[in-house]
Short mmCIF file of all heavy atoms in Angstrom, two decimals:
data_model
loop_
_atom_site.label_atom_id
_atom_site.label_comp_id
_atom_site.label_asym_id
_atom_site.label_seq_id
_atom_site.Cartn_x
_atom_site.Cartn_y
_atom_site.Cartn_z
N GLU A 58 73.01 92.64 136.23
CA GLU A 58 74.32 92.23 136.68
C GLU A 58 75.39 92.39 135.60
O GLU A 58 76.57 92.21 135.88
CB GLU A 58 74.28 90.77 137.13
CG GLU A 58 73.38 90.53 138.33
CD GLU A 58 73.35 89.07 138.75
OE1 GLU A 58 74.03 88.27 138.07
OE2 GLU A 58 72.68 88.75 139.75
N ILE A 59 74.97 92.68 134.38
CA ILE A 59 75.92 92.88 133.30
C ILE A 59 76.42 94.32 133.35
O ILE A 59 75.68 95.27 133.11
CB ILE A 59 75.27 92.58 131.94
CG1 ILE A 59 74.81 91.12 131.89
CG2 ILE A 59 76.24 92.87 130.80
CD1 ILE A 59 74.13 90.75 130.59
N LEU A 60 77.68 94.50 133.69
CA LEU A 60 78.25 95.83 133.86
C LEU A 60 78.46 96.50 132.51
O LEU A 60 78.64 95.83 131.48
CB LEU A 60 79.58 95.72 134.61
CG LEU A 60 79.51 95.13 136.03
CD1 LEU A 60 80.90 95.01 136.61
CD2 LEU A 60 78.63 95.98 136.92
N PRO A 61 78.40 97.83 132.48
CA PRO A 61 78.63 98.55 131.22
C PRO A 61 80.09 98.47 130.79
O PRO A 61 80.91 99.32 131.15
CB PRO A 61 78.20 99.99 131.56
CG PRO A 61 78.39 100.10 133.03
CD PRO A 61 78.08 98.73 133.60
N SER A 62 80.40 97.45 130.03
CA SER A 62 81.80 97.22 129.63
C SER A 62 82.33 98.34 128.75
O SER A 62 83.54 98.60 128.73
CB SER A 62 81.92 95.88 128.90
OG SER A 62 81.07 95.84 127.77
N GLU A 63 81.42 99.02 128.01
CA GLU A 63 81.90 100.09 127.14
C GLU A 63 82.45 101.27 127.93
O GLU A 63 83.48 101.86 127.55
CB GLU A 63 80.77 100.57 126.21
CG GLU A 63 79.61 101.26 126.90
CD GLU A 63 78.57 100.31 127.47
OE1 GLU A 63 78.82 99.10 127.43
OE2 GLU A 63 77.54 100.79 127.95
N ASP A 64 81.82 101.59 129.06
CA ASP A 64 82.34 102.66 129.91
C ASP A 64 83.65 102.26 130.57
O ASP A 64 84.58 103.07 130.68
CB ASP A 64 81.31 103.04 130.98
CG ASP A 64 80.05 103.64 130.38
OD1 ASP A 64 80.13 104.19 129.27
OD2 ASP A 64 78.98 103.55 131.02
N ILE A 65 83.71 101.00 131.01
CA ILE A 65 84.95 100.51 131.63
C ILE A 65 86.10 100.55 130.63
O ILE A 65 87.22 100.98 130.95
CB ILE A 65 84.73 99.09 132.17
CG1 ILE A 65 83.68 99.10 133.28
CG2 ILE A 65 86.04 98.50 132.67
CD1 ILE A 65 83.30 97.72 133.78
N ALA A 66 85.83 100.13 129.39
CA ALA A 66 86.88 100.10 128.38
C ALA A 66 87.37 101.51 128.04
O ALA A 66 88.57 101.75 127.89
CB ALA A 66 86.38 99.40 127.12
N ALA A 67 86.42 102.46 127.91
CA ALA A 67 86.82 103.84 127.60
C ALA A 67 87.67 104.43 128.72
O ALA A 67 88.68 105.12 128.45
CB ALA A 67 85.57 104.69 127.36
N LEU A 68 87.29 104.18 129.97
CA LEU A 68 88.08 104.70 131.09
C LEU A 68 89.44 104.02 131.17
O LEU A 68 90.45 104.67 131.50
CB LEU A 68 87.30 104.49 132.40
CG LEU A 68 86.05 105.35 132.57
CD1 LEU A 68 85.32 104.96 133.85
CD2 LEU A 68 86.41 106.84 132.60
N VAL A 69 89.48 102.73 130.88
CA VAL A 69 90.75 102.01 130.89
C VAL A 69 91.70 102.60 129.85
O VAL A 69 92.90 102.76 130.10
CB VAL A 69 90.52 100.51 130.63
CG1 VAL A 69 91.84 99.80 130.30
CG2 VAL A 69 89.88 99.85 131.84
#
Side-chain angles (χ1 to χ4, degrees):
E58 296 180 359
I59 299 179
L60 298 177
S62 58
E63 67 277 6
D64 295 335
I65 296 175
L68 290 175
V69 167

